[in-house]
Amino acid sequence: PTGWSRIDGPLQPHAYDLSKVRDKAQQAPQPFLGNSDVCLWIYTPKEAMSFFARNADADEAWFIHEGKGLIETDFGPLQYRKGDYVIIPRGTTYRFYPEKSPQFYLLIESFSELEIPDRGQLGRHAFYDPGVIEVAQAKPSTAGPTKGKEWEIRIKREGVWTSVFYPFNPLDIEGCKGDLFTWRLNLADIRPIISPRYHLPPSVHTTLTASGFVICTFAPRPMETGDPKAMRVPFFHRNIEYDEVLFYHDGDFFSRTGIKPGMVTFHPQGIHHGPHPKALKNQFTKEFTDEYAVMVDTLRPLKPMGI
């Protein structure tokens, strides 16, 4: 079904190499795909933010593709590293302090609340145990003395930034109370759901849900070796209700050729896609996948933007 001779029109699949725009995304996140439910950004900071940020429009899920450091928030600081999801609720004040190493973050901006999916009969510990989630804990500020300094918070509302200035550090907090918090989950703590006789659909890998889209995580897992006729690569399928975006993080991307870490593929609704011919031919030569990827599936069509 993907053996077309050519495509004329907007449904042509795309591949983006985000590593080619690293320099443009050093000072501030740069968007590349979005709709009214979600926006995808790239951020490659070289130094600590010179201000605090607060998103009054959306929850934020930061995926750390490269690098490590500390993020300071209203709820306390969190150390982050490669392979982390860092979840920042709407209205949270924060600032990144990256270490001196290459940094590359994927920002998934959600205009509705990000939630952990209900696993039904599999139970709430399936895919990842909520007990492994690290929650920010309030500590004295790491931002240094406040005397003689002015502190800026940049607040985004309806896509427009407003700067608010204080004569004191606004994150010099004593503690917090309630069930809202900033939290972190690493890829190493994800346990894929598998079947030895059937290639499960991507929805089984759902990591976070929101209104109008889902975030899924593909992690190394055993392949379907329990049935000699079972496909070991993603089946050909036609997106009818979702646009599909796949961010390639790390490993050997078995189902596609010409893909390297930091690239994104975009498959619009209404057109087929599936494994490349080489992967389809060689699928029975492997018994284990060695790849990490983040997928965002959206109900509303996505539009290229920014970079």
Side-chain angles (χ1 to χ4, degrees):
T2 58
W4 46 69
S5 57
R6 62 192 179 98
I7 300 173
D8 293 325
L11 293 186
Q12 182 174 351
H14 286 76
Y16 301 99
D17 188 353
L18 298 182
S19 63
K20 292 183 177 180
V21 292
R22 295 181 71 125
D23 291 347
K24 189 174 182 180
Q26 287 178 4
Q27 300 302 317
Q30 299 292 318
F32 62 93
L33 284 171
N35 61 25
S36 59
D37 297 315
V38 62
C39 188
L40 306 180
W41 308 67
I42 176 180
Y43 186 36
T44 59
K46 279 195 168 183
E47 56 188 18
M49 294 165 58
S50 61
F51 56 89
F52 296 104
R54 180 189 300 159
N55 192 338
D57 288 334
D59 282 13
E60 296 182 353
W62 292 85
F63 179 74
I64 310 303
H65 175 56
E66 290 181 12
K68 59 182 178 178
L70 180 138
I71 182 170
E72 191 177 31
T73 79
D74 283 324
F75 306 100
L78 276 175
Q79 296 283 344
Y80 62 87
R81 69 184 194 276
K82 178 179 177 179
D84 274 347
Y85 286 101
V86 178
I87 311 303
I88 303 176
R90 179 196 307 257
T92 300
T93 305
Y94 66 88
R95 177 156 61 175
F96 279 104
Y97 295 86
E99 293 189 7
K100 291 185 178 180
S101 61
Q103 309 285 326
F104 189 130
Y105 312 157
L106 172 70
L107 167 59
I108 304 168
E109 184 184 26
S110 172
F111 301 113
S112 61
E113 185 177 358
L114 287 167
E115 299 182 292
I116 296 175
D118 181 0
R119 293 293 176 186
Q121 290 184 340
L122 289 176
R124 66 192 302 265
H125 299 98
F127 201 59
Y128 60 89
D129 186 338
V132 304
I133 289 174
E134 182 185 0
V135 177
Q137 301 293 327
K139 295 180 180 179
S141 172
T142 60
T146 62
K147 186 176 180 180
K149 297 183 69 173
E150 192 173 55
W151 304 86
E152 179 185 7
I153 297 180
R154 296 184 186 176
I155 305 170
K156 184 165 76 168
R157 179 59 178 163
E158 296 186 331
V160 178
W161 291 95
T162 296
S163 291
V164 180
F165 297 90
Y166 291 89
F168 55 85
N169 180 359
L171 289 196
D172 192 9
I173 59 175
E174 294 288 340
C176 57
K177 183 178 181 180
D179 56 6
L180 186 70
F181 42 78
T182 304
W183 56 277
R184 183 192 66 82
L185 171 72
N186 192 268
L187 293 179
D189 294 318
I190 288 177
R191 303 291 184 262
I193 299 167
I194 62 173
S195 169
R197 299 187 61 198
Y198 175 65
H199 189 92
L200 297 172
S203 54
V204 77
H205 305 293
T206 302
T207 311
L208 292 163
T209 63
S211 178
F213 75 98
V214 297
I215 301 172
C216 303
T217 307
F218 298 104
R221 59 172 180 79
M223 301 188 83
E224 295 76 9
T225 57
D227 187 330
K229 295 183 179 180
M231 289 190 69
R232 300 186 186 183
V233 290
F235 36 74
F236 291 101
H237 55 286
R238 185 184 309 157
N239 292 7
I240 294 302
E241 294 183 331
Y242 286 86
D243 275 7
E244 180 180 314
V245 176
L246 204 58
F247 175 83
Y248 297 88
H249 170 55
D250 201 5
D252 177 17
F253 306 112
F254 178 53
S255 64
R256 304 192 66 83
T257 55
I259 292 293
K260 58 185 180 181
M263 294 188 72
V264 164
T265 54
F266 172 36
H267 297 279
Q269 298 172 26
I271 192 166
H272 271 97
H273 73 281
H276 281 194
K278 183 178 179 181
L280 192 64
K281 179 181 178 181
N282 297 329
Q283 62 178 304
F284 298 110
T285 64
K286 296 188 69 172
E287 295 186 353
F288 201 87
T289 67
D290 180 25
E291 61 183 9
Y292 287 101
V294 175
M295 185 174 76
V296 179
D297 276 7
T298 70
L299 276 168
R300 303 177 197 269
L302 291 162
K303 303 296 183 184
M305 56 194 308
I307 57 177

